[in-house]
């Protein structure tokens, strides 16, 4: 997969900060017997994302900490890709749990301010980062579990859909779905492909046209999430699910995952530049810009 | 999409009759504020189909009125395409409900008399009209809801499957399905593709081989219809569903629908002539002609 | 379809033995009115498989009799293909029920001894026989019903998945699934395609990665089997199901089946040699050979 242009530069300036006292040992050196480590947990953080890696189990938890709503800004996406790549290359890590450190919201999806009143170059950079996030997550060799502890519209839903398994807090006030149509936007074909692979063609066709945001119980009923749990059980359940998936030999599991997802991943890779151009020409339309501005005004008023 | 050859001629001679006293205003002029109209309903009719357009809601109801069983004759199909095209081009119309004006039957499917003892040219014209009906309906930009108020085998089922949403009267005496195999016929690949998109591969494989006609409750259970209602609630429910779908911005909804259906539509467009030739060579076989004649004899006896 | 190389030779030496007193009449001569036959049942057997054909109904039962676990050895696969081809070419036979003559096991799947410590030529011959079995079964013109009366992992599950209908004994101690990943092996793409056609993409993705063996009730819930029955009702139910499918005109049913399965069958035909090479290079790896040897050791210890 092609890297995000400027990713190296961004990594360099992103200032990933080790939060624990031990020096961060990413890589083989970390594969010491767990007994040698007193606290077998390494913690990393950047501005938007906190990563905790439990070395005894090989499971990391990636927490979204970008209040108020964990929107997927260029900065968030870049940090997400950097963190995921670090874990992917870290032999101490075999599974990742994605969850939110912000109450009541998993992620609100793509950051509208990145799509409003910016340059063509900015739109291209932003969209490439959205693609990169999905390509890395949907194609990850690690076991990926979404622990959805809040609402998760649009791009937030895409993150959950791209994982191997989705657990959601059973609170019916939390909803999830690809609701792009409600904003007058069309979900990209690879959002759609990912969705169809999870819920099938019929549920996808109906939900995408209605821009449905389903309350947790309904999302479970149509298969959009695999399991509902009380909020206090979420992390524990997610850890148990990752352990279950990790009980399989990595190599066989990874090849199987790739076999299931390759067609859909390849499709975006083959049409990546075209997809960026489509996004730019769509988002640059005055009618779309206007409706996004109105939507942002509405959000601002709601806030104050 | 290529038009039905001879469609313009047929439109010219089809004598679509405005039934209401106001002159029929199809088009932009109709987009006056609803408050200016005393009875915001326009009615049109031809021999086989009655169309009522409620201009205040933008929702038309297309009623099949071709007793005894609303079979899809060449005339019916032609009038269906004409009516649908009128509505498609009418800015006052954004959604259509399809239902039957004949008791206990939605549509019995393709008219067997069109396939029996006719010329090759006739078979070609007939099959092209069947294709055209599906291409226009499955690809319609409008919100389409089937209000299935009676049995709906074969081609009747195809009409329902091609809509955005299917509501059926909960009467278990009404059944629906692609039962072609029961007549010794094979459903065309695009019937099959449409069916798979609704119920998935497994249910389609089994139902098509068995030629299953499912009573309403079973049809609901496998997802062939989305919802069951008492007969007296059908129209009301259909209107509510169209309103729900129309609450979304047209443009986003239409592009989303096209994204979901394009692959299957394109497949027929690419193989249209081949599909007509297949139909002709199949239907011209003496064994098939014989079994169709026997089937028609049986129907005549049943009647008398 | 290309025949298994060496199939003719194997047929010659396989010694298919007619078990009943009447001379085996496979073919047109057998199509006498059932009333002329006192016991309208013909029985054939070879080393691994017993076939009973009820000429009055046109339904054969193929019983796997290769204790201890009906593993799919080269010999078993060859006899399976021979028996199936005989039935396919026998006009007295229109449907087949597959079941086990060994208690508590339907089939344990591919015989590991065929994949361990053998020559490249042997691996190629073995894999071609596995492909041939699937190509003939999944593409069979007959109605095929799996009467699963015991556990059915991996290749055993594939046999069931390739039938038109699956009935399983409701005993929760019997489990079924494509559990290749548990052995560190990846299910071939055509196992996966067959699985997706039955249970859909999501269930397949999850089950294949986890190498899930589902107890009968769970297998029923996800659609891996169509129906559960008490063991004593299994044969009776299987016969009733075949009769239901045979009530349809053969020609229409066969063309419909082919339409549903052609894409997946064609995919293996197009990549058959490549698939064999993949298997050889995978199975020849020292790491895989080692884990298969360990697995066989474990099985031996378990046994003694």
């Amino acid at each position: 997969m092609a890297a995000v242009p400027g990713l190296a530069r961004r990594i360099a300036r992103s200032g990933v900060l080790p939060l624990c006292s031990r020096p961060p040992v990413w890589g083989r050196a970390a594969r010491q017997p767990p007994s040698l480590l007193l606290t077998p947990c390494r913690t990393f953080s950047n501005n938007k994302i906190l990563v905790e890696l439990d070395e005894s189990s090989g499971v990391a938890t990636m927490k979204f900490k970008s209040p108020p709503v964990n929107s997927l800004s260029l900065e968030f996406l870049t940090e997400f890709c950097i963190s995921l790549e670090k874990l992917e290359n870290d032999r101490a890590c075999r599974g990742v749990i994605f969850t939110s450190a912000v109450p009541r919201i998993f992620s609100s999806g793509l950051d509208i301010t990145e799509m409003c009143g910016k340059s063509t170059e900015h739109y291209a950079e932003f969209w490439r980062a959205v693609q990169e996030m999905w390509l890395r997550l949907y194609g990850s060799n690690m076991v990926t579990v979404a622990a959805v502890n809040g609402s998760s519209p649009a791009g937030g839903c895409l993150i959950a859909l791209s994982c191997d398994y989705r657990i959601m807090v059973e609170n019916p006030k939390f909803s999830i779905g690809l609701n792009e149509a409600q904003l007058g936007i069309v979900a990209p074909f690879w959002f759609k492909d990912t969705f169809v692979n999870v819920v099938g063609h019929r549920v996808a066709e109906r939900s995408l046209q209605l821009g449905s945001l389903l309350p947790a119980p309904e999302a479970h009923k149509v298969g959009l999430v695999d399991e509902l749990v009380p909020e206090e059980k979420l992390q524990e359940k997610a850890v148990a699910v990752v352990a279950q998936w990790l009980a399989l030999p990595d190599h066989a599991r990874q090849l199987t995952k790739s076999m299931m997802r390759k067609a859909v991943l390849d499709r975006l890779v083959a049409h990546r530049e075209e997809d960026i151009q489509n996004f730019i020409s769509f988002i640059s339309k005055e009618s779309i810009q206007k409706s996004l501005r109105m939507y942002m005004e509405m959000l601002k008023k709601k806030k104050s």
Side-chain angles (χ1 to χ4, degrees), chain A:
Chain A
M1 275 167 219
V4 177
L7 184 64
R9 180 170 41 85
R10 283 183 171 275
I11 293 177
R13 76 171 188 237
S14 73
V16 175
L17 299 173
L19 289 190
C20 52
S21 50
R22 289 183 299 109
V25 188
W26 295 86
R28 293 196 179 209
R31 306 201 88 194
Q32 303 161 26
S35 58
L36 293 184
L37 301 163
L38 287 180
T39 55
C41 179
R42 282 186 280 141
T43 307
F44 292 85
S45 184
N46 45 32
N47 287 331
K48 307 289 190 187
I49 285 169
L50 171 72
V51 180
E52 294 165 344
L53 172 59
D54 177 346
E55 295 191 307
S56 63
S57 64
V59 180
T61 300
M62 196 187 282
K63 287 187 182 162
F64 308 151
K65 55 173 186 87
S66 182
V69 292
N70 288 332
S71 64
L72 307 178
S73 62
L74 183 52
E75 189 183 359
F76 185 106
L77 292 166
T78 307
E79 294 187 0
F80 183 96
C81 286
I82 291 167
S83 302
L84 195 63
E85 194 180 24
K86 267 177 181 292
L87 295 173
E88 200 85 57
N89 294 330
D90 186 342
R91 290 172 161 247
C93 181
R94 296 169 58 220
V96 194
I97 296 163
F98 300 89
T99 197
S100 169
V102 175
R104 291 183 303 283
I105 190 90
F106 180 72
S107 162
S108 64
L110 303 185
D111 186 342
I112 291 175
T113 62
E114 303 280 9
M115 303 189 267
C116 209
K118 297 285 199 303
S119 70
T120 299
E121 289 70 30
H122 184 85
Y123 295 150
E125 184 178 11
F126 176 64
W127 198 246
R128 194 179 296 277
V130 179
Q131 294 174 330
E132 188 72 18
M133 183 266 290
W134 177 76
L135 288 169
R136 287 178 184 276
L137 180 57
Y138 199 60
S140 172
N141 270 326
M142 299 181 288
V143 170
T144 52
V145 169
V148 184
N149 54 347
S151 284
S152 195
C157 178
L158 181 72
I159 291 179
L161 287 171
S162 304
C163 289
D164 293 320
Y165 198 83
R166 287 154 287 287
I167 310 167
M168 190 165 179
V169 169
E170 63 191 1
N171 188 340
K173 284 185 188 160
F174 297 163
S175 61
I176 185 168
L178 294 177
N179 63 325
E180 281 79 355
Q182 292 216 6
L183 311 185
I185 299 177
V186 181
F189 71 86
W190 37 285
F191 281 50
K192 181 265 288 176
D193 288 344
T194 311
F195 197 30
V196 168
N197 275 354
V198 173
V199 298
H201 192 280
R202 172 58 188 154
V203 171
E205 184 181 278
R206 180 177 164 186
S207 305
L208 285 173
Q209 284 189 70
L210 290 173
S212 306
L213 278 177
L214 300 178
E218 288 180 43
H220 182 238
K221 217 189 301 179
V222 301
L224 205 167
V225 297
D226 295 297
E227 200 169 347
L228 300 179
V229 295
E231 182 135 25
E232 66 274 15
K233 300 273 187 191
L234 182 61
Q235 180 66 15
E236 179 190 320
K237 183 72 207 179
V239 167
V241 167
V242 177
Q244 181 198 10
W245 287 62
L246 287 181
L248 279 289
D250 276 347
H251 192 63
R253 186 187 50 70
Q254 287 160 355
L255 288 174
T256 304
K257 181 172 177 174
S258 163
M259 174 172 68
M260 298 303 299
R261 301 190 166 188
K262 192 171 183 308
V264 162
L265 285 164
D266 284 354
R267 208 167 151 214
L268 177 57
V269 171
H271 297 283
R272 193 166 179 177
E273 296 309 317
E274 195 184 324
D275 184 58
I276 291 171
Q277 293 311 318
N278 279 346
F279 173 73
I280 293 173
S281 73
F282 179 79
I283 213 69
S284 305
K285 277 180 189 159
E286 189 39 45
S287 59
I288 299 294
Q289 284 292 314
K290 194 179 156 189
S291 79
L292 291 178
R293 279 195 305 268
M294 281 169 58
Y295 187 72
M296 281 168 57
E297 285 303 316
M298 196 195 71
L299 289 180
K300 272 183 205 166
K301 275 178 198 160
K302 225 175 165 181
K303 225 162 146 190
S304 58

